[in-house]
Amino acid sequence: MNEEKTWIIERFDELESTQDYAKSKRDLGENRIVLARRQTKGKGTKGRSFESDMGGIYLSKLTFYTDFLAKKAFQIMASAATSVCVTLRRFGLKPTIKWPNDVFVNGKKICGILIENTLSGEKIRASVVGIGLNVNNGFSPALNEIAVNMQTAAGKSFSVEDVEACLLEELCVERSMEEYLSFVGYMGEKALLIFGDERIPGRLLSVDDSGGLWVEINGKSRRLTAAEVSFRIGKIGKDGF
Ligand code: BTN
């Protein structure tokens, strides 16, 4: 059951990072959504930077919980990615989730999600869910190969305000694992599994109800968590498989 929460919404023309700003407000103990029209030091996963030019949506949602078990943390990832997918679908696009929570359209990344939780014992006290959604924003040439925005994917531009309003609404909806799984793609495909510095070819099998990724490596199936592994979809003849 979703507890009724009140939200402080803060909007900026420019911030270094909505994520860092939201985290800097954690001590206040208030639920908060921070939005910026552009970021100058956007943060991605694994310490990467995140391009954040004008025309995209950059938001961080700081939520406090009273009774949320850390072992259910995957629900936060699943919920955020599902809400982004439902938003994109409402604007006529066909999104796919690349486990655990990257959102792709036409084989290119359209949205990145960064989740940072604060634990208190076995419970999550607060989460900061950062979402960067490419709407009409441009990218550097290097990113053009792997990223897409809604404008290019749909062949028309969108009102960032309309997309943002829809996303904020969808982020308030409670999501089931079933709905998340309905957007998960790439199962059955060959992939390069990345364990830190180690890369192992395998095949993606399925994602289970608790968010574990089942893969086949050397003929054996194995369950992996998002903390252990990421993957790249392989092309035959590339990456050694
Ligand atoms: C990733 O795909 O690597 C995750 C990217 C997350 C980017 C968002 S944009 C809003 C929020 N502020 C940040 O600095 N990062 C997240």
Side-chain angles (χ1 to χ4, degrees):
M1 189 76 174
N2 241 348
E3 308 168 39
E4 201 53 45
K5 294 189 196 290
T6 50
W7 295 93
I8 293 169
I9 299 188
E10 283 189 280
R11 291 172 193 278
F12 296 88
D13 278 341
E14 180 180 299
L15 272 183
E16 285 195 348
S17 158
T18 58
Q19 196 78 0
D20 286 343
Y21 181 86
K23 286 196 301 184
S24 76
K25 299 288 172 190
R26 254 184 320 213
D27 287 349
L28 300 177
E30 298 156 328
N31 297 307
R32 183 179 297 265
I33 295 174
V34 182
L35 297 122
R37 284 152 63 86
R38 62 188 289 265
Q39 300 182 116
T40 52
K41 280 192 190 160
K43 289 175 55 177
T45 52
K46 301 182 186 132
R48 297 190 188 114
S49 59
F50 188 81
E51 283 188 23
S52 312
D53 282 353
M54 202 76 164
I57 293 173
Y58 313 106
L59 75 80
S60 294
K61 185 180 177 201
L62 166 61
T63 310
F64 287 87
Y65 302 99
T66 49
D67 191 18
F68 197 117
L69 287 174
K71 65 181 179 197
K72 296 197 167 173
F74 193 83
Q75 276 180 8
I76 299 175
M77 280 192 192
S79 219
T82 306
S83 297
V84 170
C85 287
V86 172
T87 301
L88 290 169
R89 200 171 52 192
R90 281 178 60 179
F91 287 90
L93 294 167
K94 291 197 176 126
T96 300
I97 293 172
K98 175 179 174 281
W99 179 91
N101 61 4
D102 280 337
V103 181
F104 276 58
V105 171
N106 301 340
K108 290 186 174 180
K109 184 159 156 176
I110 201 163
C111 177
I113 299 177
L114 171 66
I115 297 181
E116 295 175 276
N117 295 328
T118 313
L119 300 182
S120 167
E122 294 187 339
K123 292 190 176 167
I124 296 177
R125 189 179 82 83
S127 74
V128 182
V129 175
I131 298 178
L133 176 59
N134 302 323
V135 184
N136 304 319
N137 52 304
F139 311 109
S140 61
L143 261 197
N144 257 328
E145 290 293 307
I146 52 170
V148 71
N149 62 21
M150 290 175 67
Q151 182 177 28
T152 304
K156 61 178 181 185
S157 62
F158 292 89
S159 149
V160 177
E161 290 72 26
D162 288 354
V163 179
E164 180 191 294
C166 180
L167 179 59
L168 290 178
E169 190 182 312
E170 294 299 341
L171 282 171
C172 291
V173 177
E174 203 174 341
R175 305 289 174 187
S176 67
M177 199 59 191
E178 197 181 10
E179 195 176 12
Y180 166 78
L181 292 172
S182 74
F183 285 108
V184 170
Y186 307 108
M187 294 303 123
E189 297 203 22
K190 289 185 175 182
L192 191 65
L193 303 167
I194 304 167
F195 300 86
D197 290 339
E198 201 183 357
R199 284 154 164 69
I200 304 176
R203 186 182 294 279
L204 308 174
L205 297 176
S206 62
V207 175
D208 64 30
D209 281 351
S210 31
L213 174 69
W214 284 88
V215 298
E216 186 187 292
I217 302 174
N218 294 330
K220 286 196 182 136
S221 57
R222 189 171 154 191
R223 182 184 189 272
L224 299 166
T225 65
E228 297 174 289
V229 75
S230 62
F231 65 81
R232 286 214 316 262
I233 292 299
K235 291 195 176 77
I236 303 295
K238 217 182 142 224
D239 298 328
F241 66 131

